[in-house]
Amino acid sequence: MAWRSAVVASTILSVGLAATASHAADKVTLTFANWADAEGATRPGIQAVIAAFEKENPDIQIKSEAISFSEIARQLVLRVRSGNPPDVAEIAGNDTMLLAQTGKLEPLDGHIDAATKAALKPSSIEGLSDKGKLIAFPWTQAPAGLWYDKAVMQKAGLDPENPPKTIDELMKDLAAIKKSQPDVIPLGLDTTNRAFSLISNWPWMKAFGADPFVENGATSDAMKSYLSWMRDLAKKGYIDPGRKIGEFRPLIAQDKVAFLWDQVLLQGVIQSTNKMTDDDFNKHYGVTTQPAGASGKSYSFEGGHQLVMFSDGKHKEAAWKFIRYLATSPYAIEHYTLSYEASLTPLEKAPTDALAKKLDTPVFNAFSEKIMPTVTAVPYGPKFAPGATAIMAGVQQAVTGDTPIDEIAASIQQNLGN
């Protein structure tokens, strides 16, 4: 009997090992290239969401590849060209369209189900198609608005509940702030020479009716008006040329910036800096639409993040499941999109009552109801990055020198070509 028991035990062990080996063989490992895991501020959030996804999907393991924001597009293009792309990648802005130019992004139209597509805000997928196919899925939405420090406005004798609605009103408010508080930067505006700065300034150019990318657009009267306004801001000391947007954020948290043109995520940065409660924050700060220019319209840009998968990927079904989880699952929205990105979700409606309550704040409501409808498309594509260098070099000339605006406009046009 002893030998029979040994045989039975050996058989059970063999079957168990075989099952374990088979399960291991069936388990899919997805590579996820992203900068969320590369930045200390967002790393805990993305790691928690990945762990939650793996728990819900025990047959899928995520191998996070942390790459800095400034490096990820270059590395992804190189990996695509060498036939070694990740399964899923985080991407944003013009980089999404540059990556699409490789022709190696997997069209998502065949993956997205009708229910998921119907749940999205229509505007969330605008500009994410290439050659008629959806090539990126919206993960977060982060438009820009005009933030204002109510305490600074009050010290300047301004009504903190009545932010400027037009550029003319803005200029009067900036003058009052400069006169009453010389140590405060009246308007935080990124004028550095980089692609993001052109994205950030694009709504202000639109406010003047300018579009430097159209034929002779850089030498148009509208573009010269925009450049002249920028020079006026600098000459009067209303802006601080040379600062990146991130450098203004801790300053407005210390009441050292009155108005700041920035994205929805600013609330999280301010509160992480000055430790304000939500109630105190809402009493101290507000956000509204861009002051309108001559056209009477306000504009904004959408600076959220997208997720992509690749046509050479080996695990597309699992990759799509992961993409959908990151962007639309209640857990990911609560524990990453809202908690760490402080951004909007691409969904038309919150998937749970608890999330609807979290999104019902003065800041989220202002962005969802008033600012998102003013978003204007930025002309992304292969010519955008070199064009941004030419245009922002001209903007820097306008805000730091005395070269005649006509000469600056002509120089931009020459560098852009037609």
Side-chain angles (χ1 to χ4, degrees):
M1 292 298 289
W3 65 269
R4 182 179 290 177
S5 298
V7 169
V8 170
S10 175
T11 302
I12 292 173
L13 179 61
S14 298
V15 170
L17 290 173
T20 302
S22 174
H23 179 73
D26 291 341
K27 193 164 188 174
V28 169
T29 298
L30 293 179
T31 50
F32 174 37
N34 67 94
W35 64 84
D37 204 8
E39 298 178 359
T42 50
R43 184 179 302 123
I46 193 62
Q47 291 183 349
V49 170
I50 288 173
F53 173 80
E54 290 177 329
K55 188 176 180 180
E56 283 189 26
N57 299 272
D59 58 335
I60 303 175
Q61 183 177 12
I62 305 299
K63 182 182 178 184
S64 179
E65 298 176 339
I67 304 171
S68 70
F69 173 77
S70 60
E71 267 294 301
I72 198 164
R74 188 182 71 83
Q75 289 199 26
L76 288 174
V77 169
L78 290 174
R79 289 177 63 173
V80 165
R81 287 174 178 167
S82 63
N84 181 37
D87 292 291
V88 177
E90 178 183 17
I91 199 77
N94 192 50
D95 289 343
T96 305
M97 291 300 118
L98 288 180
L99 200 55
Q101 299 305 308
T102 65
K104 293 293 186 179
L105 289 184
E106 170 75 5
L108 301 178
D109 308 85
H111 297 275
I112 186 171
D113 56 90
T116 301
K117 191 171 184 178
L120 294 174
K121 299 170 189 167
S123 61
S124 70
I125 54 173
E126 287 179 2
L128 299 184
S129 292
D130 183 52
K131 299 174 184 173
K133 296 180 179 177
L134 184 68
I135 45 83
F137 195 78
W139 184 3
T140 64
Q141 288 197 299
L146 187 74
W147 293 86
Y148 51 97
D149 186 318
K150 296 178 185 179
V152 173
M153 289 182 70
Q154 206 157 19
K155 284 182 184 176
L158 303 172
D159 180 358
E161 302 304 327
N162 188 27
K165 297 179 178 62
T166 67
I167 288 181
D168 287 343
E169 289 181 6
L170 174 65
M171 294 301 282
K172 290 179 182 175
D173 286 2
L174 298 179
I177 290 161
K178 186 67 181 176
K179 183 178 180 181
S180 64
Q181 297 152 89
D183 60 332
V184 170
I185 299 170
L187 175 62
L189 194 60
D190 190 328
T191 57
T192 56
N193 189 349
R194 54 193 184 128
F196 175 80
S197 300
L198 179 56
I199 296 169
S200 182
N201 278 273
W202 192 254
W204 295 100
M205 293 179 190
K206 295 291 288 185
F208 284 85
D211 183 348
F213 282 108
V214 300
E215 185 173 1
N216 295 320
T219 53
S220 66
D221 290 342
M223 187 65 183
K224 292 177 184 175
S225 294
Y226 161 75
L227 292 169
S228 297
W229 176 66
M230 292 295 290
R231 170 162 289 174
D232 197 28
L233 288 173
K235 291 285 186 188
K236 292 176 176 173
Y238 296 167
I239 60 174
D240 190 4
R243 283 188 190 272
K244 294 179 179 178
I245 190 73
E247 297 176 58
F248 292 110
R249 291 169 179 165
L251 294 177
I252 195 171
Q254 303 168 56
D255 297 331
K256 295 299 181 185
V257 175
F259 296 99
L260 180 55
W261 180 243
D262 201 356
Q263 294 167 269
V264 61
L265 51 79
L266 180 64
Q267 179 178 355
V269 178
I270 289 177
Q271 287 183 282
S272 68
T273 303
N274 60 22
K275 311 303 180 187
M276 273 185 173
T277 64
D278 288 345
D279 284 345
D280 287 342
F281 177 88
N282 291 321
K283 290 175 184 172
H284 202 96
Y285 298 96
V287 65
T288 188
T289 52
Q290 177 202 51
S295 67
K297 293 182 179 179
S298 299
Y299 296 91
S300 181
F301 70 90
E302 211 295 273
H305 305 165
Q306 295 93 48
L307 296 162
V308 295
M309 50 195 284
F310 297 83
S311 55
D312 290 340
K314 296 178 182 176
H315 309 296
K316 295 177 185 175
E317 185 178 344
W320 167 246
K321 183 180 286 187
F322 183 51
I323 287 174
R324 188 176 57 187
Y325 183 88
L326 289 177
T328 68
S329 75
Y331 185 90
I333 291 172
E334 179 177 357
H335 295 277
Y336 185 73
T337 303
L338 300 185
S339 299
Y340 284 87
E341 290 287 346
S343 295
L344 299 172
T345 164
L347 299 179
E348 189 79 72
K349 294 181 180 178
T352 66
D353 289 343
L355 282 177
K357 190 174 181 181
K358 285 182 177 292
L359 284 162
D360 186 16
T361 72
V363 169
F364 282 140
N365 287 335
F367 274 99
S368 295
E369 297 167 9
K370 297 180 180 177
I371 296 172
M372 277 301 295
T374 70
V375 167
T376 186
V378 179
Y380 294 134
K383 296 180 180 178
F384 184 79
T389 300
I391 295 165
M392 292 313 297
V395 172
Q396 285 195 318
Q397 263 190 300
V399 298
T400 60
D402 294 313
T403 305
I405 294 298
D406 282 351
E407 287 185 27
I408 294 173
S411 175
I412 295 173
Q413 191 64 66
Q414 183 178 15
N415 289 324
L416 285 175
N418 281 318

